[in-house]
């Protein structure tokens, strides 16, 4: 029995079906893979083509836990697997890997078809409610509450962001009640609130802020630096550059209540050169025209400068070389791309089986790891789905002859 029909649950279903096991996949939603489809909306970044060691480094403190999964199912193996579904992939200029066509829907359609052909049974609108006293699993279904026993259970219930797509983290108290250690869920790959003035917000919300360098020094004195793009939102900033700094910023905000990020609007230009350009006599020209013609500062960058630099400092050329902004809070968890936290690896064995619940495995975003955007999330979800599939197969082989009665019975 697999509960959760996202990338990790479906991957586990594939491994088990290929091993000749009857698989029933349950999901609370009316269809499978809704978050996966959403991920494909802006271009499905399925993995990344960078060197294996650099790839592994993206999982930060959880690298030791994620590394064995990715050694068994690497980004290259994932691309091959996608190719096996008849969907080609390509490497973008940033090293990110996408399916041709960029969308998730063709891939998901072919995958579900192949899983059905392999014998997997799908049960939509089955919301898992927890365990009964006798060990059966309870579901809320359109026909009322139903329950089922299974020889082996894989939980692949996702994180807590974008709850309307199905992953609402309602599993957290269900596992906690069984004494399973859960690290509290937190926003990952989320935007940050800044609190723009109405003037700035009304003119620039929705606009990209291109090619800036963001630096942030945490309270341990460690400086985090990223170059890239972000989007000005109604309440702050979001996008790749911000997501890359998300984890340390979030931790700083949790510890101190706020964090300060410095934006360099002119990366690659020496401060002395910028100073010389700003200080260059401008005659009758306005300062805005001068900054635009000498440094290319216009549009949202000019607006940000006005927003961040106090009026009285504006005549000081040095202060015009970079904008400073104070970030005050993370966005609500539901708006984040993914969540950090989840089932603690310490509660699991090497096959990702819950130590205190033999025969119950966990996979995907519900595990306590996080990574930036760039294809690292999906790659680890697929790899962990594969690992639990293999673990469950091994478990079934060593515990034969038990009775399962799924699909769920009233
Ligand atoms: C807008 C957006 C864009 C993204 N883009 C990318 C990207 O380009 N690249 C990338 O790598 N990652 C991306 N991600 C992240 C990626 O989609 C997720 O990390 C991934 O889908 C997680 O897979 P999963 O199988 O662990 O969980 P999910 O895909 O969340 O699936 C979990 C499933 O469990 C079901 N479920 C939950 N609770 C219950 C219950 N109690 N009973 C029954 N069923 C239940 C849900 O309905 C859901 O179908 C994006 C995410 C978002 C929100």
């Amino acid at each position: 029995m697999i509960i959760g029909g996202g990338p990790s649950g479906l991957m586990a279903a594939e491994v088990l079906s290929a091993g000749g096991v009857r698989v029933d996949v349950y999901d609370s939603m009316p269809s499978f893979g809704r978050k996966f489809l959403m991920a494909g909306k802006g271009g499905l970044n399925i993995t990344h083509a960078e060197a294996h060691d650099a790839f592994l480094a993206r999982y930060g403190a959880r690298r030791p836990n994620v590394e064995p999964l990715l050694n068994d199912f690497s980004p290259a193996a994932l691309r091959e697997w996608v190719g096996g579904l008849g969907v080609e992939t390509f490497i973008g200029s940033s090293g990110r890997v996408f399916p041709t066509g960029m969308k998730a829907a063709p891939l998901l359609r072919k995958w579900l078809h192949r899983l059905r052909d392999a014998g997997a049974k799908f049960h939509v609108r089955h919301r898992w409610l927890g365990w009964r006293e006798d060990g059966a699993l309870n579901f809320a279904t359109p026909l009322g509450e139903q329950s089922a026993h299974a020889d082996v259970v894989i939980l692949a219930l996702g994180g807590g962001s974008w709850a309307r797509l199905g992953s609402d983290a309602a599993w957290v108290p269900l596992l906690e009640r069984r004494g399973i250690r859960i690290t509290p869920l937190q926003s990952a790959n989320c935007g940050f609130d800044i609190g723009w003035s109405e003037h700035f917000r009304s003119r620039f919300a929705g606009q990209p802020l291109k090619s800036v360098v963001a630096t942030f020094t945490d309270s341990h004195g460690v400086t985090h630096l990223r170059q890239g793009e972000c989007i000005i939102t109604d309440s702050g900033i979001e996008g790749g550059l911000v997501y890359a700094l998300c984890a340390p910023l979030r931790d700083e905000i949790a510890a101190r209540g706020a964090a300060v990020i410095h934006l360099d609007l002119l990366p690659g230009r020496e401060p002395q050169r910028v100073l010389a350009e700003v200080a260059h006599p401008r005659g009758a020209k306005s300062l805005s025209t001068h900054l635009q013609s000498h440094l290319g500062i216009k549009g949202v960058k000019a607006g940000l400068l006005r927003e961040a630099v106090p009026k009285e400092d504006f005549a000081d050329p040095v202060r015009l070389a970079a904008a400073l902004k104070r970030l005050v809070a993370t966005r609500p968890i539901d708006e984040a791309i993914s969540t950090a936290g989840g089932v603690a690896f310490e509660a699991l064995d090497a096959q990702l089986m819950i130590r205190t619940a033999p025969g119950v495995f966990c996979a995907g975003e519900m595990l306590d790891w996080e990574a930036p955007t760039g294809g690292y999330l999906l790659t680890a979800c697929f790899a962990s789905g594969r690992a639990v599939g293999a673990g469950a197969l091994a478990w079934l082989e060593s515990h034969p002859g038990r009775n399962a009665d799924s699909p769920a019975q009233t």
Side-chain angles (χ1 to χ4, degrees):
M1 180 186 289
I2 295 171
I3 313 179
S8 55
L10 294 178
M11 191 54 104
E14 177 154 300
V15 174
L16 283 162
S17 300
V21 172
R22 172 191 163 161
V23 179
D24 286 276
V25 190
Y26 295 86
D27 202 289
S28 53
M29 299 301 280
S31 61
F32 289 87
R34 291 200 168 197
K35 190 177 275 185
F36 186 56
L37 290 174
M38 176 56 78
K41 229 176 160 188
L44 185 72
N45 180 196
I46 201 145
T47 189
H48 202 289
E50 68 192 350
H52 197 55
D53 202 55
F55 193 101
L56 294 173
R58 305 292 178 170
Y59 299 90
R62 282 304 182 188
R63 173 179 174 160
N65 304 102
V66 179
E67 185 166 346
L69 311 174
L70 295 173
N71 287 341
D72 284 350
F73 193 61
S74 65
L78 174 57
R79 288 186 71 188
E80 214 177 298
W81 175 85
V82 173
L85 280 166
V87 176
E88 292 308 314
T89 52
F90 70 94
I91 304 174
S93 54
S94 59
R96 292 172 180 229
V97 176
F98 302 90
T100 48
M102 307 294 278
K103 299 286 173 224
L107 201 156
L108 183 64
R109 211 169 29 244
K110 290 179 181 184
W111 193 15
L112 289 172
H113 193 74
R114 190 165 82 180
L115 286 169
R116 264 191 207 99
D117 282 352
K121 301 271 181 286
F122 295 117
H123 310 272
V124 293
R125 295 191 167 93
H126 277 64
R127 160 172 286 279
W128 179 53
L129 301 173
W131 285 273
R132 266 187 354 202
E133 287 277 299
D134 65 356
L137 290 103
N138 263 347
F139 292 90
T141 81
L143 301 174
E145 212 165 295
Q146 301 191 346
S147 63
H149 286 276
D151 289 334
V152 71
V153 176
I154 290 174
L155 301 176
L157 300 162
S161 73
W162 289 65
R164 64 181 179 279
L165 303 177
S167 326
D168 58 6
W171 54 266
V172 172
L174 302 180
L175 297 197
E176 276 177 339
R177 239 175 272 148
R178 299 259 311 218
I180 296 156
R181 205 176 115 200
I182 312 288
T183 308
L185 299 189
Q186 300 186 73
S187 296
N189 296 305
C190 57
F192 286 83
D193 287 338
I194 293 184
W196 303 123
S197 67
E198 180 52 29
H199 177 84
F200 183 78
R201 189 199 65 73
S202 63
R203 277 163 187 76
F204 298 110
Q207 290 201 21
L209 181 60
K210 289 198 175 174
S211 195
V212 292
V213 167
T215 43
F216 150 67
T217 303
D218 65 26
S219 44
H220 305 291
V222 179
T223 296
H224 307 264
L225 180 148
R226 289 285 187 284
Q227 179 160 4
E229 295 181 13
C230 58
I231 306 275
I232 304 293
T233 63
D234 266 346
S235 56
I237 48 176
E238 66 179 29
L241 174 70
V242 188
Y243 298 160
L245 289 171
C246 178
L249 274 176
R250 184 197 59 219
D251 293 348
E252 182 78 359
I253 289 168
R256 318 261 148 197
V260 178
I261 190 167
H262 293 189
L263 289 180
D264 178 356
L265 300 180
L266 294 166
R269 298 216 197 186
E270 289 300 318
Q272 286 314 314
R273 183 99 199 102
V274 173
L275 185 57
E277 294 295 352
V278 171
H280 195 272
R282 61 183 159 97
K285 270 195 286 182
S286 72
L287 183 57
S288 310
T289 311
H290 179 75
L291 291 178
Q292 178 167 347
S293 57
H294 281 253
L295 290 164
I297 292 285
K298 57 181 177 173
V300 64
K301 281 191 176 176
L304 194 57
L305 210 57
R306 291 274 172 203
E307 177 81 355
V309 179
K311 224 175 190 162
E312 59 275 19
D313 291 344
F314 224 80
D316 179 345
V318 177
R319 289 179 188 253
L320 291 178
L324 310 178
K325 204 58 203 165
R326 192 174 166 82
L327 301 174
V328 290
T330 53
R331 306 290 297 281
I333 204 165
D334 198 45
E335 293 180 24
I337 295 286
S338 60
T339 41
V343 179
F345 278 95
E346 293 71 18
L348 306 169
D349 70 9
Q351 278 69 49
L352 306 181
M353 186 174 80
I354 300 174
R355 291 179 196 279
T356 54
V360 182
F361 294 75
C362 297
E365 204 184 306
M366 72 182 292
L367 300 177
D368 179 17
W369 57 276
E370 66 176 308
T373 55
Y376 309 104
L377 298 165
L378 282 172
T379 307
C381 287
F382 283 121
S384 65
R386 238 172 144 90
V388 292
L393 268 183
W395 168 264
L396 287 170
E397 270 164 28
S398 56
H399 297 77
R402 298 177 64 204
N403 288 317
D405 60 10
S406 55
Q409 311 279 317
T410 308

